[in-house]
Amino acid sequence: DGGITQSPKYLFRKEGQNVTLSCEQNLNHDAMYWYRQDPGQGLRLIYYSQIVNDFQKGDIAEGYSVSREKKESFPLTVTSAQKNPTAFYLCATGIYYEQYFGPGTRLTVT
Amino acid sequence: AQSVAQPEDQVNVAEGNPLTVKCTYSVSGNPYLFWYVQYPNRGLQFLLKYITGDNLVKGSYGFEAEFNKSQTSFHLKKPSALVSDSALYFCAVRDRADRGSTLGRLYFGRGTQLTVWP
């Protein structure tokens, strides 16, 4: 987990509210990724980014948005349009063919 | 299309016995293959990778994996399991055609829960 910070570790929100998950890295890696993890479903890719001010949708981007204003930061916003937002969210960085993961944020929406 | 299958949701083994966690993959070209481990409420930790060369890859904590191209498999193994090995294990694949691009994404299996009992 070293070099990648996700905060907070646990996050609680009411349904209908947008919430932003933080991901910061000091590894100087160009690529950054957001995954969603649900029990028994593995990791599903939400968004990814190679360079500042550029990002692409992954497999389950609906109801999520991202920004990449700085190389070190790749925040993920879970909007009220996301129908089932309760999950464990993992941020990762990438260089060449390897990915490194942050500690994750567990989001609970009630 | 690229995909990974981990056919067993759970693997149970006694401490001291050998363990195997299975993984098969599908890519259009040649693969890069990875194993990660996840402890409860933590991020994924890298265990080992196959890029090229020797089909038997050695990784962290005494784990190893064998790349078998004909069977499109990359099974994770350890000769003697420890209780502390109990965790969730993920296999991942990337198409080698993505070489040179940091944007090359990984495709993950659903994970296998390994339980080692004393």
Side-chain angles (χ1 to χ4, degrees), chain A residues 31-62:
Chain A
M32 296 188 75
Y33 307 80
W34 273 107
Y35 293 91
R36 171 181 171 139
Q37 184 178 12
D38 297 281
Q41 295 198 44
L43 275 67
R44 293 183 289 170
L45 184 64
I46 305 172
Y47 269 98
Y48 55 110
S49 167
Q50 184 178 17
I51 57 173
V52 173
N53 293 323
D54 184 61
F55 45 83
Q56 285 80 43
K57 294 181 179 180
D59 300 325
I60 56 165
E62 185 176 350

PDB file of all heavy atoms in Angstrom, chain A residues 31-62:
ATOM      1  N   ALA A  31      -0.170   6.341 -14.774  1.00  0.00           N
ATOM      2  CA  ALA A  31      -1.515   5.780 -14.854  1.00  0.00           C
ATOM      3  C   ALA A  31      -2.127   5.617 -13.469  1.00  0.00           C
ATOM      4  O   ALA A  31      -1.449   5.258 -12.509  1.00  0.00           O
ATOM      5  CB  ALA A  31      -1.478   4.425 -15.557  1.00  0.00           C
ATOM      6  N   MET A  32      -3.431   5.884 -13.410  1.00  0.00           N
ATOM      7  CA  MET A  32      -4.190   5.663 -12.180  1.00  0.00           C
ATOM      8  C   MET A  32      -5.518   5.037 -12.538  1.00  0.00           C
ATOM      9  O   MET A  32      -6.061   5.277 -13.625  1.00  0.00           O
ATOM     10  CB  MET A  32      -4.379   6.968 -11.408  1.00  0.00           C
ATOM     11  CG  MET A  32      -3.073   7.568 -10.931  1.00  0.00           C
ATOM     12  SD  MET A  32      -3.268   8.987  -9.834  1.00  0.00           S
ATOM     13  CE  MET A  32      -3.793   8.172  -8.294  1.00  0.00           C
ATOM     14  N   TYR A  33      -6.042   4.233 -11.598  1.00  0.00           N
ATOM     15  CA  TYR A  33      -7.237   3.433 -11.848  1.00  0.00           C
ATOM     16  C   TYR A  33      -8.159   3.467 -10.625  1.00  0.00           C
ATOM     17  O   TYR A  33      -7.683   3.546  -9.497  1.00  0.00           O
ATOM     18  CB  TYR A  33      -6.864   1.964 -12.100  1.00  0.00           C
ATOM     19  CG  TYR A  33      -5.832   1.734 -13.173  1.00  0.00           C
ATOM     20  CD1 TYR A  33      -4.480   1.896 -12.917  1.00  0.00           C
ATOM     21  CD2 TYR A  33      -6.209   1.323 -14.447  1.00  0.00           C
ATOM     22  CE1 TYR A  33      -3.530   1.674 -13.897  1.00  0.00           C
ATOM     23  CE2 TYR A  33      -5.269   1.093 -15.439  1.00  0.00           C
ATOM     24  CZ  TYR A  33      -3.932   1.266 -15.158  1.00  0.00           C
ATOM     25  OH  TYR A  33      -3.000   1.044 -16.140  1.00  0.00           O
ATOM     26  N   TRP A  34      -9.442   3.331 -10.877  1.00  0.00           N
ATOM     27  CA  TRP A  34     -10.414   3.097  -9.814  1.00  0.00           C
ATOM     28  C   TRP A  34     -11.145   1.788 -10.094  1.00  0.00           C
ATOM     29  O   TRP A  34     -11.645   1.559 -11.205  1.00  0.00           O
ATOM     30  CB  TRP A  34     -11.435   4.228  -9.750  1.00  0.00           C
ATOM     31  CG  TRP A  34     -11.008   5.370  -8.902  1.00  0.00           C
ATOM     32  CD1 TRP A  34     -10.595   6.605  -9.319  1.00  0.00           C
ATOM     33  CD2 TRP A  34     -10.963   5.407  -7.470  1.00  0.00           C
ATOM     34  NE1 TRP A  34     -10.289   7.392  -8.241  1.00  0.00           N
ATOM     35  CE2 TRP A  34     -10.503   6.689  -7.087  1.00  0.00           C
ATOM     36  CE3 TRP A  34     -11.261   4.479  -6.463  1.00  0.00           C
ATOM     37  CZ2 TRP A  34     -10.339   7.078  -5.760  1.00  0.00           C
ATOM     38  CZ3 TRP A  34     -11.097   4.860  -5.139  1.00  0.00           C
ATOM     39  CH2 TRP A  34     -10.648   6.147  -4.803  1.00  0.00           C
ATOM     40  N   TYR A  35     -11.203   0.959  -9.036  1.00  0.00           N
ATOM     41  CA  TYR A  35     -11.924  -0.310  -9.104  1.00  0.00           C
ATOM     42  C   TYR A  35     -12.999  -0.334  -8.025  1.00  0.00           C
ATOM     43  O   TYR A  35     -12.837   0.247  -6.952  1.00  0.00           O
ATOM     44  CB  TYR A  35     -10.993  -1.495  -8.857  1.00  0.00           C
ATOM     45  CG  TYR A  35      -9.961  -1.732  -9.914  1.00  0.00           C
ATOM     46  CD1 TYR A  35      -8.700  -1.147  -9.842  1.00  0.00           C
ATOM     47  CD2 TYR A  35     -10.228  -2.578 -10.989  1.00  0.00           C
ATOM     48  CE1 TYR A  35      -7.740  -1.392 -10.808  1.00  0.00           C
ATOM     49  CE2 TYR A  35      -9.266  -2.834 -11.958  1.00  0.00           C
ATOM     50  CZ  TYR A  35      -8.031  -2.240 -11.851  1.00  0.00           C
ATOM     51  OH  TYR A  35      -7.083  -2.488 -12.815  1.00  0.00           O
ATOM     52  N   ARG A  36     -14.001  -1.100  -8.304  1.00  0.00           N
ATOM     53  CA  ARG A  36     -15.032  -1.380  -7.313  1.00  0.00           C
ATOM     54  C   ARG A  36     -14.978  -2.869  -7.012  1.00  0.00           C
ATOM     55  O   ARG A  36     -14.861  -3.698  -7.932  1.00  0.00           O
ATOM     56  CB  ARG A  36     -16.403  -1.002  -7.879  1.00  0.00           C
ATOM     57  CG  ARG A  36     -17.551  -1.451  -7.014  1.00  0.00           C
ATOM     58  CD  ARG A  36     -18.880  -1.076  -7.609  1.00  0.00           C
ATOM     59  NE  ARG A  36     -19.949  -1.715  -6.851  1.00  0.00           N
ATOM     60  CZ  ARG A  36     -21.093  -1.136  -6.523  1.00  0.00           C
ATOM     61  NH1 ARG A  36     -21.348   0.107  -6.922  1.00  0.00           N
ATOM     62  NH2 ARG A  36     -22.002  -1.786  -5.830  1.00  0.00           N
ATOM     63  N   GLN A  37     -15.066  -3.209  -5.727  1.00  0.00           N
ATOM     64  CA  GLN A  37     -15.038  -4.605  -5.321  1.00  0.00           C
ATOM     65  C   GLN A  37     -16.304  -4.938  -4.540  1.00  0.00           C
ATOM     66  O   GLN A  37     -16.615  -4.273  -3.553  1.00  0.00           O
ATOM     67  CB  GLN A  37     -13.800  -4.912  -4.460  1.00  0.00           C
ATOM     68  CG  GLN A  37     -13.679  -6.375  -4.095  1.00  0.00           C
ATOM     69  CD  GLN A  37     -12.441  -6.681  -3.282  1.00  0.00           C
ATOM     70  OE1 GLN A  37     -11.761  -5.791  -2.797  1.00  0.00           O
ATOM     71  NE2 GLN A  37     -12.128  -7.960  -3.134  1.00  0.00           N
ATOM     72  N   ASP A  38     -17.021  -5.932  -5.004  1.00  0.00           N
ATOM     73  CA  ASP A  38     -18.178  -6.469  -4.316  1.00  0.00           C
ATOM     74  C   ASP A  38     -17.919  -7.949  -4.030  1.00  0.00           C
ATOM     75  O   ASP A  38     -17.224  -8.617  -4.801  1.00  0.00           O
ATOM     76  CB  ASP A  38     -19.440  -6.332  -5.173  1.00  0.00           C
ATOM     77  CG  ASP A  38     -19.800  -4.885  -5.449  1.00  0.00           C
ATOM     78  OD1 ASP A  38     -20.379  -4.263  -4.543  1.00  0.00           O
ATOM     79  OD2 ASP A  38     -19.487  -4.386  -6.550  1.00  0.00           O
ATOM     80  N   PRO A  39     -18.477  -8.480  -2.959  1.00  0.00           N
ATOM     81  CA  PRO A  39     -18.224  -9.889  -2.608  1.00  0.00           C
ATOM     82  C   PRO A  39     -18.550 -10.817  -3.767  1.00  0.00           C
ATOM     83  O   PRO A  39     -19.629 -10.751  -4.347  1.00  0.00           O
ATOM     84  CB  PRO A  39     -19.165 -10.113  -1.423  1.00  0.00           C
ATOM     85  CG  PRO A  39     -19.347  -8.768  -0.813  1.00  0.00           C
ATOM     86  CD  PRO A  39     -19.334  -7.807  -1.972  1.00  0.00           C
ATOM     87  N   GLY A  40     -17.610 -11.693  -4.092  1.00  0.00           N
ATOM     88  CA  GLY A  40     -17.826 -12.692  -5.122  1.00  0.00           C
ATOM     89  C   GLY A  40     -17.769 -12.181  -6.548  1.00  0.00           C
ATOM     90  O   GLY A  40     -17.985 -12.948  -7.489  1.00  0.00           O
ATOM     91  N   GLN A  41     -17.467 -10.888  -6.732  1.00  0.00           N
ATOM     92  CA  GLN A  41     -17.455 -10.348  -8.096  1.00  0.00           C
ATOM     93  C   GLN A  41     -16.086  -9.866  -8.530  1.00  0.00           C
ATOM     94  O   GLN A  41     -15.935  -9.319  -9.614  1.00  0.00           O
ATOM     95  CB  GLN A  41     -18.451  -9.197  -8.214  1.00  0.00           C
ATOM     96  CG  GLN A  41     -19.887  -9.629  -8.015  1.00  0.00           C
ATOM     97  CD  GLN A  41     -20.876  -8.620  -8.557  1.00  0.00           C
ATOM     98  OE1 GLN A  41     -20.686  -8.094  -9.649  1.00  0.00           O
ATOM     99  NE2 GLN A  41     -21.915  -8.343  -7.797  1.00  0.00           N
ATOM    100  N   GLY A  42     -15.089 -10.033  -7.712  1.00  0.00           N
ATOM    101  CA  GLY A  42     -13.770  -9.591  -8.105  1.00  0.00           C
ATOM    102  C   GLY A  42     -13.689  -8.076  -8.181  1.00  0.00           C
ATOM    103  O   GLY A  42     -14.439  -7.359  -7.529  1.00  0.00           O
ATOM    104  N   LEU A  43     -12.774  -7.603  -9.010  1.00  0.00           N
ATOM    105  CA  LEU A  43     -12.565  -6.165  -9.182  1.00  0.00           C
ATOM    106  C   LEU A  43     -13.130  -5.736 -10.525  1.00  0.00           C
ATOM    107  O   LEU A  43     -12.809  -6.337 -11.553  1.00  0.00           O
ATOM    108  CB  LEU A  43     -11.079  -5.826  -9.130  1.00  0.00           C
ATOM    109  CG  LEU A  43     -10.454  -5.621  -7.760  1.00  0.00           C
ATOM    110  CD1 LEU A  43     -10.425  -6.913  -6.980  1.00  0.00           C
ATOM    111  CD2 LEU A  43      -9.045  -5.058  -7.901  1.00  0.00           C
ATOM    112  N   ARG A  44     -13.906  -4.685 -10.519  1.00  0.00           N
ATOM    113  CA  ARG A  44     -14.454  -4.142 -11.757  1.00  0.00           C
ATOM    114  C   ARG A  44     -13.936  -2.719 -11.954  1.00  0.00           C
ATOM    115  O   ARG A  44     -13.985  -1.900 -11.040  1.00  0.00           O
ATOM    116  CB  ARG A  44     -15.987  -4.178 -11.720  1.00  0.00           C
ATOM    117  CG  ARG A  44     -16.548  -5.594 -11.724  1.00  0.00           C
ATOM    118  CD  ARG A  44     -18.065  -5.595 -11.769  1.00  0.00           C
ATOM    119  NE  ARG A  44     -18.651  -5.137 -10.519  1.00  0.00           N
ATOM    120  CZ  ARG A  44     -19.946  -4.858 -10.362  1.00  0.00           C
ATOM    121  NH1 ARG A  44     -20.776  -4.965 -11.390  1.00  0.00           N
ATOM    122  NH2 ARG A  44     -20.391  -4.467  -9.183  1.00  0.00           N
ATOM    123  N   LEU A  45     -13.506  -2.432 -13.155  1.00  0.00           N
ATOM    124  CA  LEU A  45     -12.859  -1.160 -13.463  1.00  0.00           C
ATOM    125  C   LEU A  45     -13.896  -0.073 -13.692  1.00  0.00           C
ATOM    126  O   LEU A  45     -14.800  -0.225 -14.523  1.00  0.00           O
ATOM    127  CB  LEU A  45     -11.976  -1.323 -14.692  1.00  0.00           C
ATOM    128  CG  LEU A  45     -11.146  -0.124 -15.117  1.00  0.00           C
ATOM    129  CD1 LEU A  45     -10.117   0.225 -14.045  1.00  0.00           C
ATOM    130  CD2 LEU A  45     -10.460  -0.404 -16.446  1.00  0.00           C
ATOM    131  N   ILE A  46     -13.729   1.055 -12.990  1.00  0.00           N
ATOM    132  CA  ILE A  46     -14.676   2.167 -13.104  1.00  0.00           C
ATOM    133  C   ILE A  46     -14.155   3.209 -14.084  1.00  0.00           C
ATOM    134  O   ILE A  46     -14.807   3.539 -15.069  1.00  0.00           O
ATOM    135  CB  ILE A  46     -14.922   2.817 -11.732  1.00  0.00           C
ATOM    136  CG1 ILE A  46     -15.371   1.790 -10.694  1.00  0.00           C
ATOM    137  CG2 ILE A  46     -15.960   3.936 -11.858  1.00  0.00           C
ATOM    138  CD1 ILE A  46     -15.447   2.354  -9.277  1.00  0.00           C
ATOM    139  N   TYR A  47     -12.984   3.761 -13.803  1.00  0.00           N
ATOM    140  CA  TYR A  47     -12.333   4.755 -14.653  1.00  0.00           C
ATOM    141  C   TYR A  47     -10.832   4.549 -14.587  1.00  0.00           C
ATOM    142  O   TYR A  47     -10.317   3.992 -13.619  1.00  0.00           O
ATOM    143  CB  TYR A  47     -12.641   6.176 -14.162  1.00  0.00           C
ATOM    144  CG  TYR A  47     -13.846   6.843 -14.763  1.00  0.00           C
ATOM    145  CD1 TYR A  47     -15.068   6.855 -14.084  1.00  0.00           C
ATOM    146  CD2 TYR A  47     -13.780   7.481 -16.001  1.00  0.00           C
ATOM    147  CE1 TYR A  47     -16.177   7.473 -14.633  1.00  0.00           C
ATOM    148  CE2 TYR A  47     -14.887   8.109 -16.544  1.00  0.00           C
ATOM    149  CZ  TYR A  47     -16.083   8.094 -15.859  1.00  0.00           C
ATOM    150  OH  TYR A  47     -17.183   8.719 -16.397  1.00  0.00           O
ATOM    151  N   TYR A  48     -10.134   5.029 -15.618  1.00  0.00           N
ATOM    152  CA  TYR A  48      -8.692   5.030 -15.576  1.00  0.00           C
ATOM    153  C   TYR A  48      -8.150   6.241 -16.322  1.00  0.00           C
ATOM    154  O   TYR A  48      -8.829   6.829 -17.169  1.00  0.00           O
ATOM    155  CB  TYR A  48      -8.090   3.719 -16.097  1.00  0.00           C
ATOM    156  CG  TYR A  48      -8.517   3.286 -17.480  1.00  0.00           C
ATOM    157  CD1 TYR A  48      -7.632   3.327 -18.533  1.00  0.00           C
ATOM    158  CD2 TYR A  48      -9.787   2.768 -17.714  1.00  0.00           C
ATOM    159  CE1 TYR A  48      -7.994   2.894 -19.793  1.00  0.00           C
ATOM    160  CE2 TYR A  48     -10.157   2.336 -18.967  1.00  0.00           C
ATOM    161  CZ  TYR A  48      -9.263   2.389 -20.003  1.00  0.00           C
ATOM    162  OH  TYR A  48      -9.637   1.959 -21.247  1.00  0.00           O
ATOM    163  N   SER A  49      -6.903   6.571 -15.981  1.00  0.00           N
ATOM    164  CA  SER A  49      -6.296   7.791 -16.524  1.00  0.00           C
ATOM    165  C   SER A  49      -4.818   7.554 -16.765  1.00  0.00           C
ATOM    166  O   SER A  49      -4.134   6.948 -15.939  1.00  0.00           O
ATOM    167  CB  SER A  49      -6.477   8.944 -15.537  1.00  0.00           C
ATOM    168  OG  SER A  49      -5.658  10.044 -15.876  1.00  0.00           O
ATOM    169  N   GLN A  50      -4.331   8.044 -17.894  1.00  0.00           N
ATOM    170  CA  GLN A  50      -2.908   7.908 -18.206  1.00  0.00           C
ATOM    171  C   GLN A  50      -2.136   9.185 -17.924  1.00  0.00           C
ATOM    172  O   GLN A  50      -0.981   9.142 -17.511  1.00  0.00           O
ATOM    173  CB  GLN A  50      -2.718   7.522 -19.662  1.00  0.00           C
ATOM    174  CG  GLN A  50      -1.269   7.264 -20.031  1.00  0.00           C
ATOM    175  CD  GLN A  50      -1.103   6.833 -21.458  1.00  0.00           C
ATOM    176  OE1 GLN A  50      -2.010   7.012 -22.268  1.00  0.00           O
ATOM    177  NE2 GLN A  50       0.033   6.250 -21.776  1.00  0.00           N
ATOM    178  N   ILE A  51      -2.766  10.313 -18.190  1.00  0.00           N
ATOM    179  CA  ILE A  51      -2.076  11.586 -18.005  1.00  0.00           C
ATOM    180  C   ILE A  51      -3.035  12.605 -17.418  1.00  0.00           C
ATOM    181  O   ILE A  51      -4.256  12.391 -17.415  1.00  0.00           O
ATOM    182  CB  ILE A  51      -1.519  12.115 -19.340  1.00  0.00           C
ATOM    183  CG1 ILE A  51      -2.652  12.254 -20.371  1.00  0.00           C
ATOM    184  CG2 ILE A  51      -0.414  11.216 -19.865  1.00  0.00           C
ATOM    185  CD1 ILE A  51      -2.213  12.912 -21.648  1.00  0.00           C
ATOM    186  N   VAL A  52      -2.487  13.695 -16.982  1.00  0.00           N
ATOM    187  CA  VAL A  52      -3.293  14.770 -16.417  1.00  0.00           C
ATOM    188  C   VAL A  52      -4.314  15.241 -17.450  1.00  0.00           C
ATOM    189  O   VAL A  52      -4.027  15.321 -18.646  1.00  0.00           O
ATOM    190  CB  VAL A  52      -2.382  15.927 -15.964  1.00  0.00           C
ATOM    191  CG1 VAL A  52      -3.204  17.131 -15.525  1.00  0.00           C
ATOM    192  CG2 VAL A  52      -1.474  15.468 -14.829  1.00  0.00           C
ATOM    193  N   ASN A  53      -5.495  15.517 -16.974  1.00  0.00           N
ATOM    194  CA  ASN A  53      -6.605  16.035 -17.777  1.00  0.00           C
ATOM    195  C   ASN A  53      -7.105  15.056 -18.831  1.00  0.00           C
ATOM    196  O   ASN A  53      -7.753  15.477 -19.811  1.00  0.00           O
ATOM    197  CB  ASN A  53      -6.232  17.369 -18.445  1.00  0.00           C
ATOM    198  CG  ASN A  53      -6.041  18.476 -17.424  1.00  0.00           C
ATOM    199  OD1 ASN A  53      -6.764  18.535 -16.432  1.00  0.00           O
ATOM    200  ND2 ASN A  53      -5.058  19.328 -17.660  1.00  0.00           N
ATOM    201  N   ASP A  54      -6.818  13.781 -18.641  1.00  0.00           N
ATOM    202  CA  ASP A  54      -7.317  12.761 -19.563  1.00  0.00           C
ATOM    203  C   ASP A  54      -7.719  11.527 -18.777  1.00  0.00           C
ATOM    204  O   ASP A  54      -6.975  11.074 -17.898  1.00  0.00           O
ATOM    205  CB  ASP A  54      -6.258  12.394 -20.597  1.00  0.00           C
ATOM    206  CG  ASP A  54      -6.808  11.414 -21.622  1.00  0.00           C
ATOM    207  OD1 ASP A  54      -7.776  11.771 -22.325  1.00  0.00           O
ATOM    208  OD2 ASP A  54      -6.288  10.290 -21.700  1.00  0.00           O
ATOM    209  N   PHE A  55      -8.900  10.968 -19.091  1.00  0.00           N
ATOM    210  CA  PHE A  55      -9.332   9.749 -18.432  1.00  0.00           C
ATOM    211  C   PHE A  55     -10.356   9.052 -19.329  1.00  0.00           C
ATOM    212  O   PHE A  55     -10.956   9.673 -20.211  1.00  0.00           O
ATOM    213  CB  PHE A  55      -9.928  10.020 -17.050  1.00  0.00           C
ATOM    214  CG  PHE A  55     -10.895  11.168 -16.990  1.00  0.00           C
ATOM    215  CD1 PHE A  55     -12.234  10.998 -17.340  1.00  0.00           C
ATOM    216  CD2 PHE A  55     -10.478  12.430 -16.581  1.00  0.00           C
ATOM    217  CE1 PHE A  55     -13.116  12.062 -17.274  1.00  0.00           C
ATOM    218  CE2 PHE A  55     -11.349  13.489 -16.506  1.00  0.00           C
ATOM    219  CZ  PHE A  55     -12.674  13.314 -16.862  1.00  0.00           C
ATOM    220  N   GLN A  56     -10.514   7.754 -19.094  1.00  0.00           N
ATOM    221  CA  GLN A  56     -11.427   6.943 -19.901  1.00  0.00           C
ATOM    222  C   GLN A  56     -12.349   6.131 -19.000  1.00  0.00           C
ATOM    223  O   GLN A  56     -11.976   5.757 -17.890  1.00  0.00           O
ATOM    224  CB  GLN A  56     -10.650   5.961 -20.790  1.00  0.00           C
ATOM    225  CG  GLN A  56      -9.975   6.596 -21.993  1.00  0.00           C
ATOM    226  CD  GLN A  56      -8.678   7.272 -21.605  1.00  0.00           C
ATOM    227  OE1 GLN A  56      -7.913   6.726 -20.838  1.00  0.00           O
ATOM    228  NE2 GLN A  56      -8.456   8.464 -22.141  1.00  0.00           N
ATOM    229  N   LYS A  57     -13.520   5.850 -19.506  1.00  0.00           N
ATOM    230  CA  LYS A  57     -14.461   5.011 -18.784  1.00  0.00           C
ATOM    231  C   LYS A  57     -13.999   3.560 -18.800  1.00  0.00           C
ATOM    232  O   LYS A  57     -13.473   3.071 -19.788  1.00  0.00           O
ATOM    233  CB  LYS A  57     -15.848   5.109 -19.412  1.00  0.00           C
ATOM    234  CG  LYS A  57     -16.493   6.474 -19.282  1.00  0.00           C
ATOM    235  CD  LYS A  57     -17.879   6.475 -19.903  1.00  0.00           C
ATOM    236  CE  LYS A  57     -18.532   7.843 -19.749  1.00  0.00           C
ATOM    237  NZ  LYS A  57     -19.893   7.874 -20.350  1.00  0.00           N
ATOM    238  N   GLY A  58     -14.250   2.904 -17.677  1.00  0.00           N
ATOM    239  CA  GLY A  58     -14.029   1.470 -17.609  1.00  0.00           C
ATOM    240  C   GLY A  58     -15.309   0.729 -17.881  1.00  0.00           C
ATOM    241  O   GLY A  58     -16.166   1.173 -18.650  1.00  0.00           O
ATOM    242  N   ASP A  59     -15.482  -0.397 -17.220  1.00  0.00           N
ATOM    243  CA  ASP A  59     -16.625  -1.258 -17.489  1.00  0.00           C
ATOM    244  C   ASP A  59     -17.910  -0.824 -16.794  1.00  0.00           C
ATOM    245  O   ASP A  59     -19.005  -1.186 -17.226  1.00  0.00           O
ATOM    246  CB  ASP A  59     -16.295  -2.689 -17.065  1.00  0.00           C
ATOM    247  CG  ASP A  59     -15.103  -3.246 -17.825  1.00  0.00           C
ATOM    248  OD1 ASP A  59     -14.950  -2.912 -19.019  1.00  0.00           O
ATOM    249  OD2 ASP A  59     -14.311  -3.990 -17.221  1.00  0.00           O
ATOM    250  N   ILE A  60     -17.775  -0.069 -15.685  1.00  0.00           N
ATOM    251  CA  ILE A  60     -18.970   0.268 -14.904  1.00  0.00           C
ATOM    252  C   ILE A  60     -18.956   1.752 -14.516  1.00  0.00           C
ATOM    253  O   ILE A  60     -19.128   2.109 -13.369  1.00  0.00           O
ATOM    254  CB  ILE A  60     -19.083  -0.627 -13.645  1.00  0.00           C
ATOM    255  CG1 ILE A  60     -17.813  -0.531 -12.785  1.00  0.00           C
ATOM    256  CG2 ILE A  60     -19.352  -2.075 -14.027  1.00  0.00           C
ATOM    257  CD1 ILE A  60     -18.006  -1.084 -11.385  1.00  0.00           C
ATOM    258  N   ALA A  61     -18.766   2.629 -15.472  1.00  0.00           N
ATOM    259  CA  ALA A  61     -18.604   4.058 -15.201  1.00  0.00           C
ATOM    260  C   ALA A  61     -19.910   4.783 -14.863  1.00  0.00           C
ATOM    261  O   ALA A  61     -19.869   5.888 -14.301  1.00  0.00           O
ATOM    262  CB  ALA A  61     -17.938   4.726 -16.397  1.00  0.00           C
ATOM    263  N   GLU A  62     -21.040   4.216 -15.166  1.00  0.00           N
ATOM    264  CA  GLU A  62     -22.313   4.913 -14.953  1.00  0.00           C
ATOM    265  C   GLU A  62     -22.523   5.244 -13.489  1.00  0.00           C
ATOM    266  O   GLU A  62     -22.412   4.373 -12.619  1.00  0.00           O
ATOM    267  CB  GLU A  62     -23.477   4.076 -15.465  1.00  0.00           C
ATOM    268  CG  GLU A  62     -24.807   4.791 -15.392  1.00  0.00           C
ATOM    269  CD  GLU A  62     -25.946   3.985 -15.986  1.00  0.00           C
ATOM    270  OE1 GLU A  62     -25.672   2.944 -16.622  1.00  0.00           O
ATOM    271  OE2 GLU A  62     -27.106   4.391 -15.813  1.00  0.00           O
TER     272      GLU A  62
END
